[in-house]
Amino acid sequence: MCARKRAESDAEASPAADPTAPGAQTARTVLDGPEIQRALTRIAHEVLERTKGAHDVTLLGIPSRGVPLARRLAERVEQVEGRAVPWGSLDITMYRDDLRLAPARALGRTEIPPQGVDGRVVVLVDDVLFSGRTVRAALDALNDIGRPRAVQLAILVDRGHRELPIRADYVGKNLPTSLRESVDVRLAELDGRDAVLLGPARPRPGEEDDR
Amino acid sequence: MRHLLSTGDLSRDEATLVLDTAAELAQVSGRSVKKLPTLRGRTVVNLFYEDSTRTRTSFELAAKRLSADVINFSAKGSSVSKGESLKDTALTLQAMGADGVVVRHPASGAAHRLAGWVDGAVLNAGDGTHEHPTQALLDAYTMRARTGRVEGLRVAVVGDVLHSRVARSNVLLLHTLGAEVTLVAPPTLMPVSVHTWPCAVSYDLDAVLPKTDVVMLLRVQAERMQNAFFPTAREYSRRYGLDRDRLARLPDHAIVMHPGPMVRGMEISAEVADSARSTISEQVANGVSVRMAALYLLLGGS
Amino acid sequence: MTHSSAAHLIRGARLTGRDPADILIRDGVIAEVGPGLSAPDARVVEADGLIALPGLVDLHTHLREPGREDAETVASGARAAAAGGYTAVHAMANTDPVADTAGVVEQVWRLGRESGHCDVQPVGAVTRGLAGERLAELGAMAESAAAVRVFSDDGMCVSDPLLMRRALEYVKAFDGVVAQHAQDPRLTEGAQMNEGVVSDRLGLAGWPAVAEEAIIARDCLLTEHVGSRLHVCHVSTKGSVQILRWAKSRGCDVTAEVTPHHLLLTDDLAESYDPIYKVNPPLRTAEDVQALREALADGTIDCVATDHAPHPAEAKETEWATAAMGMLGLETALSIVQHTMVDTGLLDWAGVAERMSAAPARIGRLSGHGRPIAPGEPANVTLYEADTAWEVDPAALASKSANTPYRGMRLPGRVTATFLRGTPTVLDGKIQ
């Protein structure tokens, strides 16, 4: 019974994840705070455009960092349209395809807005799109909760290297990367500041990292 | 941790993790698809040497909600009743590839022994008069759900402490989680070394009740009378049973718990059992979530 | 038994730990003891650095035959005894059938003689079938070829005070002794281990010290009242020690034994729930262990007895409550006594000879055992190498069973030779 703490399993397990830590000098900022804000604003506008006013939209962030991103998108849509958009979180841990490769993980929160997902346009929100396995798990999780009219995907950074036939509908930044690199998203809500960092890949035995 | 044998093995973080995980998994019970794919392809054996429909079905439902294959292996009508030893049964389960074994056994320590004989995770579903860890976890979960916390709660555990695996598991777990436990029973139903346990001890229920946030009643078996643990059921009930008058001595916010099965009229009166302060049916519902959490945390990873 | 009739010259052994001397054994008796002996016809046994002890005597052995030959036989038990340095063991009566008639005790006695590895002196049951209801034919067993002097219902307590009084009185006629298994049955119904902190935590039914102590106190008073002889088996608690000390100070003719495991092991071992540690009486606390060591040192407890209790593997590979009680002892006793009593400075080797040979022989009225290593005495001699160590491998023991709690432990000292009336039963550490 030794589940790992969620935050650690996502980004902070290794000292190399912290750019201020020794040995992390090679991590460089590819998106700074204002750039992230502008990207989110643009995505919010795209969502409004594509969904014709986002009347049936529900934003569901994938823990951990997808959740504050979903909230920020909801705030931006509300600022533009003057109308609240339901948002929540969808934990995918129990649907992961790599559960047996690591000790049991602590669960993230799932909070579905009271409207539910049936008949809605659900926009899944996550920070990084990599192999696509997280999104695959999210689609399965969503399927067990209800039957949305449509499902779309919003992502802050698409770093490529897909392993499944999945693509994003809304992308903050396309970031071509090598598999020897890692992408770390920092968000003020969880990490104290906004940034996207590109650094050397951290070896994680047995874990398929969807970053 | 590979097994769940005793709540004494759980650190505060681990115990909290079980409760937090259970809180997330509780949502599954409210969905239309009450199932998660997490333990797909894994086999959980319910090995029950004592009749316990409540605990067995709770574990069975928990395992099935996680998509595990569940095999119910009860002692009656099986090779066990033909004299097969626990070890041979364990080796059989091992050969069948059981990933997890949920064991209920009348002998204290049976789960520990089993853990030494099988590769899979062993979940103690009650061993003799030793422990019943998932019961204590669901009790703590229920307290947290009802009162918002466990730390600092004043919990009175009343009844046959000496023979109670529920009491042992609860004392250890609640102490770990920072609750203040007081055991209340006639001295004959207290272990001789109870003063070394991390809890207070009282023989006077009426004195304890006003300073109690949670009162947990333990089943008192009438056959204890034969061994002179107390003179009569009537006297026990009069001194230690929770009836309406005693209920009134509790603070207004206090809740009443019972691990079941209850003996109405003995340790608890019918109107107390059915009152709004009773969490007895919540405990049953919470049991499934807590057991899902335990199964996931033990079997869900590598 | 190839050297049975040969003379042996043991060279340079330290007699009960004192200065080195030679021991010449001829025709089953000790011919000479002294420095620089020579005997051209004798086979020389180099014993430089070894300790010579009178052959050990066990007052309390379970050999399981008749009835449970899968666990031990008289022959296998006698080999185990020889390997442990014993030349005589008392075989307890709780066999199947129970040794409660002259026929059964003679059978056991004969099997022991046939084995040739160790004298097997049967213990007779006090009550028929160990049922605690009616006296067995104690006189017939005393007069049999086995000449029984020790009577015990061991495994069961003679709990009826009147029956115990009668037994104590009756055995006076033939200088017998009643060896009591002190365990109040009502206070220990369903008991699994020492009652205390550990049993309460483990949820195993407690076995209170008072269940032993109350019977010992009662029996000491009864013994004093009727002027008989009482022996207390496997004393296990500090309170028992205090009662024995008090009884002896009053002049009560009581003797007592302690097992090696009660001198070393404690009840917290049960936390593994491994019934290898399940024994009757149960392992107690460290405080009890210390009191027992001190009592053995000061003579309050007269002797060490193994309570060697072989059980087949399946009797121990089970949950605690259903497991059999008892542990092997013969082949590890001397090492445990060295570890707990000699290496701690509580007892010297002369003390070991007294507690493990002379006293038990005296209590059991075995005239040919427990004698000093001196000219004219029966040549029952054990050679022991104290300055060595060995790791206990259950599979390597001579016993048919493997239920030793010392599995994998490193113990000091090894028996290198045992002579039974001049015949080596163990030589160079190997059973002959």
Side-chain angles (χ1 to χ4, degrees), chain B residues 43-71:
Chain B
T43 303
V44 173
V45 175
N46 275 331
L47 180 60
F48 274 62
Y49 287 81
E50 287 180 336
D51 288 331
S52 173
T53 310
R54 180 187 304 255
T55 305
R56 186 184 56 71
T57 50
S58 180
F59 266 109
E60 184 174 353
L61 191 56
K64 285 181 170 170
R65 286 201 172 154
L66 293 170
S67 301
D69 294 320
V70 181
I71 298 169

Side-chain angles (χ1 to χ4, degrees), chain C residues 261-325:
Chain C
H261 46 271
H262 286 111
L263 290 172
L264 179 64
L265 307 178
T266 47
D267 63 350
D268 51 325
L269 290 164
E271 293 195 2
S272 63
Y273 283 106
D274 185 344
I276 199 80
Y277 303 112
K278 185 176 175 181
V279 64
N280 178 348
L283 301 178
R284 305 285 189 182
T285 67
E287 197 182 350
D288 294 305
V289 165
Q290 190 53 37
L292 292 169
R293 290 183 185 184
E294 287 164 9
L296 184 63
D298 72 18
T300 302
I301 292 175
D302 304 79
C303 63
V304 173
T306 66
D307 199 2
H308 178 81
H311 288 292
E314 63 270 21
K316 289 290 190 181
E317 286 184 346
T318 179
E319 52 275 28
W320 184 282
T322 49
M325 291 184 279

